[in-house]
Amino acid sequence: MVKPWKCGDCAKEFRSPSELEAHRRSHTGERPFTCSVCGKGFSKSSTLQTHQRVHTGERPFVCSECGRGFTHSWNLQTHRRVHSGERPFTCCECGKAFSRLCSLQTHQRVHTGERLFVCSECGQGFTDSSNLWKHRRIHTGERPFTCSRCGKGFGDSSHLLTHQRVHTGERPFPCSVCGKDFTQLSNLLTHRRVHTGERPFTCSACGKGFTQLCSLQKHQRIHK
């Protein structure tokens, strides 16, 4: 297919001038489409429309395994790996595997020490822009995501989603080994170590291993 419209910055080619114009914003950082609820800016109108589902609660893409809904089709595709256990993206430094490419890319900054996104208020650095965006709400006190049941506010949409399970009783992350259900994926991943025997948190003083970081921190008080 012919792509006659070329970007002057990176030479990438596009089928139409509108596609080229949207792409150029990746170089300029321009975000002309703003959410009227939380003020977050976007480079494309389609991305804004998808984002607005966070506020409206619309989740048109539903998992056939557990019934969980998502705002975007690629979120559903990534979520399905929770059930399949697929982790196709592997870190070449430590071998840790991830279900999403962006998670691997963010993780790799642990090894490089790279923190590209810096808070102008306190100077704290972050490995990705979304974490910086969420962090800023500590300074502003902004809590744009509100529970429709109890009115509690949250600075992060994922925290609101997790909180809502208190009201619904939903536990969408089941263990494939014993069937126990969890409200959060992180809790499921920690639980799986009961079956695998994995103990990734090791005491530097005595070498004892633990399944959770909090257990290691509690143990280390023995040495202190």
Side-chain angles (χ1 to χ4, degrees), residues 68 70 72-89 98-103 173 185:
R68 186 179 176 188
F70 297 87
H72 200 285
S73 60
W74 58 262
N75 285 336
L76 171 58
Q77 291 170 358
T78 300
H79 162 78
R80 282 176 176 154
R81 293 174 185 150
V82 171
H83 302 294
S84 67
E86 182 188 7
R87 290 175 173 265
F89 307 103
F98 298 87
S99 60
R100 299 186 298 174
L101 175 59
C102 62
S103 298
F173 303 103
L185 175 58

Side-chain angles (χ1 to χ4, degrees), residues 34-167:
T34 305
C35 176
S36 59
V37 178
C38 66
K40 191 173 182 180
F42 299 88
S43 60
K44 297 179 181 179
S45 60
S46 59
T47 309
L48 169 60
Q49 290 170 352
T50 299
H51 161 79
Q52 288 173 327
R53 292 172 186 157
V54 171
H55 303 297
T56 63
E58 182 188 6
R59 295 178 178 273
F61 303 97
V62 180
C63 175
S64 59
E65 293 282 337
C66 65
R68 186 179 176 188
F70 297 87
T71 57
H72 200 285
S73 60
W74 58 262
N75 285 336
L76 171 58
Q77 291 170 358
T78 300
H79 162 78
R80 282 176 176 154
R81 293 174 185 150
V82 171
H83 302 294
S84 67
E86 182 188 7
R87 290 175 173 265
F89 307 103
T90 305
C91 175
C92 60
E93 292 284 338
C94 65
K96 189 173 183 180
F98 298 87
S99 60
R100 299 186 298 174
L101 175 59
C102 62
S103 298
L104 169 60
Q105 292 170 334
T106 300
H107 161 79
Q108 286 173 326
R109 293 176 187 149
V110 172
H111 301 297
T112 63
E114 184 182 18
R115 291 180 177 269
L116 300 176
F117 306 93
V118 180
C119 175
S120 58
E121 292 285 336
C122 66
Q124 187 174 345
F126 297 88
T127 54
D128 63 78
S129 59
S130 62
N131 285 338
L132 171 59
W133 187 275
K134 295 169 188 175
H135 163 80
R136 282 175 175 160
R137 294 178 182 142
I138 294 174
H139 302 295
T140 64
E142 181 189 10
R143 293 178 176 267
F145 306 102
T146 306
C147 177
S148 58
R149 296 285 189 92
C150 65
K152 189 173 182 179
F154 298 86
D156 190 310
S157 61
S158 63
H159 294 164
L160 169 60
L161 179 62
T162 300
H163 162 79
Q164 287 173 327
R165 293 174 188 147
V166 172
H167 302 296

Side-chain angles (χ1 to χ4, degrees), residues 82 85 87 174-176 187-197:
V82 171
R87 290 175 173 265
C175 175
S176 58
N187 290 341
L188 170 59
L189 296 176
T190 299
H191 163 79
R192 279 177 177 165
R193 293 170 186 152
V194 172
H195 304 297
T196 63

